[in-house]
Amino acid sequence: MSTYHSIHFHIVFSTKHRKPWIEEEWIEDFHSYIGGTIKGLGAIPLKVGGVADHVHLLVGCKTTHRPCDLVREIKKAATAWVHSEIGFMPFVWQDGYAIFSVSPDACSTVSRYIENQKEHHRKMTFLEELVEILKLAGIEFDPQYLE
């Protein structure tokens, strides 16, 4: 029998100290590059989006993908792209990330959520958003580690 799977993750991570380093002029190319990186890692970039201080990814994975390895390689490649293409050497990501499993029937909702990040963040900060997502997912957290 073949291996059948449906593994989807919503991954969120921010720039160091949530600095608004991702510029409007190159954000689209940056998100495209991240999508290409995800493909290069053998996963499926269902949606890539975000704003100046963080990214959201909806990723379809294989059974052989380890989320920690996937995120590490995406962050590493994205940082290298900003350094080489934009020339902004201070750019780095915050340590850690948030990851949530997504059922197949919820992928379209999560995709729309990611697509509407710009509008969403006119009303809410990244930290407020993260707390809301963590609470919705039933994840306990210590607020001191969100700073």
Side-chain angles (χ1 to χ4, degrees), residues 33-49:
Y33 182 81
I34 291 172
T37 298
I38 293 167
K39 281 183 190 174
L41 294 168
I44 302 167
L46 300 170
K47 186 61 76 175
V48 177

Side-chain angles (χ1 to χ4, degrees), residues 11-144:
I11 303 167
V12 185
F13 50 88
S14 70
T15 57
K16 189 77 169 180
H17 305 297
R18 287 182 285 288
K19 298 278 188 184
W21 285 335
I22 304 169
E23 305 266 340
E24 195 65 37
E25 297 80 41
W26 49 270
I27 195 168
E28 200 171 306
D29 290 340
F30 186 53
H31 290 163
S32 292
Y33 182 81
I34 291 172
T37 298
I38 293 167
K39 281 183 190 174
L41 294 168
I44 302 167
L46 300 170
K47 186 61 76 175
V48 177
V51 292
D53 64 351
H54 69 282
V55 296
H56 287 259
L57 313 172
L58 178 58
V59 180
C61 294
K62 296 179 181 178
T63 58
T64 54
H65 282 120
R66 288 181 31 167
C68 60
D69 294 339
L70 194 66
V71 173
R72 183 189 66 243
E73 293 304 314
I74 293 166
K75 283 181 166 184
K76 186 168 78 173
T79 300
W81 185 88
V82 172
H83 291 172
S84 67
E85 296 298 314
I86 305 303
F88 185 62
M89 302 315 283
F91 185 92
V92 290
W93 296 106
Q94 189 93 344
D95 290 338
Y97 56 94
I99 186 167
F100 309 93
S101 56
V102 180
S103 63
D105 61 338
C107 282
S108 61
T109 301
V110 173
S111 181
R112 280 191 306 278
Y113 178 81
I114 293 171
E115 195 170 297
N116 292 318
Q117 279 293 292
K118 198 173 186 180
E119 180 62 34
H120 179 73
H121 285 289
R122 289 189 177 125
K123 304 171 192 157
M124 177 180 281
T125 68
F126 170 65
L127 187 55
E128 291 167 335
E129 173 188 48
L130 181 58
V131 166
E132 183 177 279
I133 294 171
L134 291 170
K135 286 179 178 177
L136 282 171
I139 298 173
E140 291 185 25
F141 61 93
D142 185 335
Q144 75 175 347

